[in-house]
């Protein structure tokens, strides 16, 4: 990462809970979330955006996964 993310243990309670859930699901917190969590208000805004997209039902979960992968590829993400 070009920008150092937060250490999960040093994040606020909300971010820590999100990181724990991500670690349980994917084995580790997502790197972009570690960067967003440097600013708790931005982190909460990003999480709210994704919760809104997922909750709207406008995008099939499979399409959402493809969109995430494409964005990650455009950003040079290793995954």
């Amino acid at each position: 990462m070009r920008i150092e993310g937060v250490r999960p243990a040093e994040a606020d309670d909300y971010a820590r809970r999100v990181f724990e859930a991500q670690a349980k699901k994917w084995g580790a917190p997502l790197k972009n979330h570690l960067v967003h969590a440097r600013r708790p208000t931005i982190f909460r805004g990003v999480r709210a955006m994704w919760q809104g997209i997922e909750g709207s039902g406008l995008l099939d979960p499979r399409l959402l996964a493809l969109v995430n992968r494409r964005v990650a590829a455009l950003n040079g993400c290793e995954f």
Side-chain angles (χ1 to χ4, degrees), residues 26-60:
W26 293 298
L30 302 176
K31 290 185 179 186
N32 66 329
H33 280 65
L34 294 172
V35 173
H36 293 313
R38 290 169 50 100
R39 296 290 180 257
T41 55
I42 293 172
F43 182 76
R44 287 177 185 273
V46 169
R47 291 295 306 154
M49 177 193 70
W50 283 110
Q51 289 169 342
I53 290 171
E54 292 167 358
S56 73
L58 295 173
L59 290 177
D60 182 274

Side-chain angles (χ1 to χ4, degrees), residues 1-37:
M1 281 189 300
R2 291 179 290 177
I3 299 173
E4 186 72 27
V6 300
R7 291 186 185 99
E10 297 173 3
D12 67 12
D13 289 339
Y14 175 73
R16 238 186 344 269
R17 287 192 307 272
V18 171
F19 296 150
E20 288 169 4
Q22 290 175 346
K24 186 175 182 179
K25 186 171 185 176
W26 293 298
L30 302 176
K31 290 185 179 186
N32 66 329
H33 280 65
L34 294 172
V35 173
H36 293 313

Side-chain angles (χ1 to χ4, degrees), residues 66-79:
L66 290 174
V67 169
N68 278 328
R69 287 180 183 257
R70 180 65 178 145
V71 169
L74 290 170
N75 287 323
C77 181
E78 300 164 4
F79 109 97

